[in-house]
Amino acid sequence: MVDLCGVQLRGPVLNGSGTYDPIAARRTFGDELLERFPFDCFVSKTITLAPRQGNPPPRLWETPAGLINSIGLPNKGLEGFLAEDLPKLAELPAPLCVSVMGFDHEELRRLVTEVGAREEVALIELNFSCPNVETGLIMGADPSETASAVSALRPLTTKPLIVKLTPNATDPAAVAKAAEGAGADGLSLINTLKGMALHPRTRQPWLGGTTGGVSGPAVRAVALEQVHSVSRAVRIPTIGMGGIASGRDAADFLSAGATCIAVGTESFRDPTAGARIAAELELVSRKEREFSSGGVR
Ligand code: SIN
C-alpha cells in the first residue's frame, strides 16, 4: 500500500490528468476494464467552472520522442461533470482525484467547494500549469500567486489539495515551497513544456492554438531533475511524471524522491501501459532488493 496525502492506494501508479478516458474505455471494453484497471488512483481530466470547447484543431503533433498537445481543456464544466461523469468515475476500482482549473480565485473557490463536498472524491488536484490556457500558467509560474491561491482554497475543504506544477517556471522548487507553505498537501509534476511545430509546407504554426505542451520521453530528463529538486525542497509528497514509459523509468522517479508516479503520453500508445509499468516496477524493485541484500545477482 502507498499513502498519498492520507489516502491509501494499492500501489504508486496514477495517470496524468487528461491522458486516459475510463468512461470511453468502459464503453469499449465493458466491465473487463474494472477488473484490469491500470491505475491505483484515477486523476480526472481538468474541469473548469463553465463548459469549454477547447482549442481549434489541429490539436496534436507527434515529435520524434513524444507529443505536442494544444487541447485547451475542453470539458463539460462543473455542473456537467458532477451530473454526468462523477457517478461513472466513482465506479472505478481506485480512489478518485478530480483536477480543477479556475480563471480567478472566485472560480477556484466554487470548484473546490463543490468538488470537495462530494464523498466520491478522495483528492483534488489544482491545475495551475496548463500551458494552453494563459491564466493557468501565470498562477503556477509565480510563487506568491500560487501561495495566495492555495491559502484562499485551503479552508474550503478537508480533502487533500495537490498542486500541479508547471515546468515553465524560473524556479519550480520555489513555487513548490510556496504551495507547501500555503497548505498544499502534495505536488504533482511536471506538466508539459511549452513548445511548437510548424506546418511542413506553409511554415505556419501547425497547432490551432499556435503553441502547445511537449510531453513523452523527450521531457523525461527534465522531469526527473525537477522531481529531484522539488522533492528535496519540500516535506509533502510528490507525484512524478514526464515521459515515464517503463518500470525502470518509474523506479528512477521514485528514487528521485517521488511518492507516486503518473503515466501520461505512454497510455496513448498503449492503453494498458499503467498495468505494464506497475508490473515492471515490481520486478525492478524485487531485483534491487535481492541485489542489495546480497541475494541473486
Ligand atoms: C490541455 O487540455 O490543454 C492539456 C491539459 C494540461 O496541460 O493541463
Side-chain angles (χ1 to χ4, degrees):
M1 294 296 272
V2 175
D3 183 309
L4 177 63
C5 309
V7 177
Q8 302 307 310
L9 312 182
R10 69 175 175 227
V13 180
L14 284 64
N15 63 296
S17 169
T19 60
Y20 188 92
D21 182 347
I23 298 175
R26 195 168 172 194
R27 265 200 305 272
T28 308
F29 299 109
D31 286 350
E32 200 185 325
L33 178 84
L34 305 184
E35 283 146 35
R36 298 171 183 223
F37 194 61
F39 304 109
D40 300 312
C41 172
F42 180 73
V43 185
S44 76
K45 170 83 185 155
T46 299
I47 59 162
T48 50
L49 189 58
R52 286 176 57 83
Q53 292 292 323
N55 290 344
R59 288 174 164 181
L60 286 180
W61 174 268
E62 196 172 340
T63 73
L67 284 179
I68 311 178
N69 86 76
S70 175
I71 310 291
L73 301 179
N75 76 97
K76 297 174 180 169
L78 177 64
E79 268 180 41
F81 173 81
L82 293 178
E84 294 168 35
D85 291 354
L86 184 60
K88 294 179 187 148
L89 297 179
E91 289 177 10
L92 299 175
L96 176 63
C97 175
V98 175
S99 172
V100 302
M101 198 212 88
F103 286 91
D104 55 37
H105 283 199
E106 185 44 37
E107 285 196 9
L108 273 166
R109 273 195 204 100
R110 284 196 50 199
L111 285 157
V112 167
T113 305
E114 295 205 30
V115 169
R118 302 299 293 254
E119 64 177 21
E120 304 92 318
V121 178
L123 307 116
I124 299 175
E125 181 176 83
L126 304 170
N127 184 355
F128 290 170
S129 54
C130 175
N132 303 326
V133 181
E134 203 47 43
T135 325
L137 182 59
I138 291 166
M139 200 175 285
D142 180 68
S144 58
E145 282 273 350
T146 300
S148 127
V150 175
S151 16
L153 301 173
R154 179 62 288 170
L156 305 179
T157 180
T158 54
K159 302 274 159 78
L161 293 177
I162 294 174
V163 173
K164 182 141 184 194
L165 300 175
T166 174
N168 304 302
T170 317
D171 184 358
V175 180
K177 280 204 261 191
E180 179 183 45
D185 300 279
L187 301 161
S188 53
L189 69 156
I190 61 172
N191 205 324
T192 52
L193 280 150
K194 208 161 184 176
M196 78 183 293
L198 298 186
H199 190 294
R201 195 168 33 78
T202 65
R203 321 304 302 167
Q204 294 304 306
W206 170 267
L207 295 165
T210 307
T211 61
V214 185
S215 64
V219 308
R220 193 187 304 132
V222 176
L224 191 64
E225 187 284 325
Q226 295 203 1
V227 167
H228 182 262
S229 60
V230 163
S231 300
R232 266 151 193 75
V234 297
R235 288 162 181 267
I236 51 178
T238 57
I239 303 164
M241 69 196 88
I244 294 178
S246 70
R248 168 63 56 193
D249 299 336
D252 284 351
F253 278 73
L254 296 176
S255 299
T259 298
C260 290
I261 60 100
V263 179
T265 304
E266 183 66 4
S267 295
F268 290 113
R269 219 180 51 74
D270 168 14
T272 65
R276 172 178 57 77
I277 289 169
E280 290 172 2
L281 177 61
E282 281 272 333
L283 217 62
V284 170
S285 312
R286 204 173 66 224
K287 283 204 173 128
E288 282 177 355
R289 275 197 307 274
E290 284 169 0
F291 187 80
S292 62
S293 67
V296 184
R297 283 170 193 229

